[in-house]
């Protein structure tokens, strides 16, 4: 996990961005996966206590309902997906979806399977101020898509400073 906290004068909230790589969804990793969820719960609880906004994003190796294609419904991943979705409900986080529905963010180099494993969760109630885009690099080098989360200026109050270079004066 990686956590970046952004505090800015004029911003209505302090934001914490947490990057996650969750262990592969298999029985042997259940304890390790639970430890990551427990650590995230601690970050969320502390942020909510402090009045901060949290965005958790990354490869969760678990899909939302309707977020797997080409898998058997008896796949070992089904139980891990369900555990992750129960955790999501218990923490009261909201998932930001691409156009409001799951979209594949992982594809193997061969085979028909695909899944929405890379996900974005926030403790912000209004999803209308968040926009998720998904871009695929058509190279076979990457099996995951690039996710970009856009947050309305009114929520984060980030401005850009223009750099002015001195001119040559003789």
């Amino acid at each position: 996990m990686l956590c970046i906290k952004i505090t800015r004068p004029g911003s209505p909230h302090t934001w914490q961005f947490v990057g996650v790589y969750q262990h592969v969804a298999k029985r042997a990793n259940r304890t390790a996966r639970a430890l990551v969820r427990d650590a995230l719960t601690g970050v969320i609880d502390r942020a909510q206590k402090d009045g901060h906004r949290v965005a958790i994003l990354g490869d969760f190796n678990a899909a939302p309902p309707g977020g797997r294609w080409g898998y058997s419904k008896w796949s070992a991943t089904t139980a891990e997906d369900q555990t992750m979705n129960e955790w999501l409900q218990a923490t009261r986080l909201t998932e930001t979806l691409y156009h409001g529905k799951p979209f594949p963010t992982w594809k193997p180099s061969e085979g028909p399977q695909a899944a929405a494993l890379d996900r974005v969760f926030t403790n912000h109630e209004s999803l209308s101020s968040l926009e998720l885009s998904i871009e695929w690099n058509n190279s076979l080098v990457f099996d995951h898509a690039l996710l970009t989360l856009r947050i309305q200026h009114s929520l984060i109050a980030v401005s850009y400073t223009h750099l002015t270079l001195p001119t040559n004066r003789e």
Side-chain angles (χ1 to χ4, degrees), residues 22-69:
Q22 178 60 287
H23 299 275
V24 173
K26 60 183 181 179
R27 288 180 188 94
N29 289 340
R30 283 189 177 156
T31 300
R33 291 175 62 82
L35 289 172
V36 171
R37 285 190 303 272
D38 289 348
L40 287 171
T41 300
V43 170
I44 295 161
D45 290 347
R46 177 62 189 244
Q48 289 175 337
K49 179 181 167 220
D50 293 343
H52 297 172
R53 297 291 169 96
V54 178
I56 301 172
L57 53 158
D59 180 357
F60 287 89
N61 274 308
R68 287 194 185 268
W69 298 268

Side-chain angles (χ1 to χ4, degrees), residues 106-111 136-145:
W106 172 83
K107 296 176 186 176
S109 58
E110 295 181 2
W136 279 96
N137 178 332
N138 291 327
S139 162
L140 292 178
V141 174
F142 301 108
D143 60 350
H144 288 263

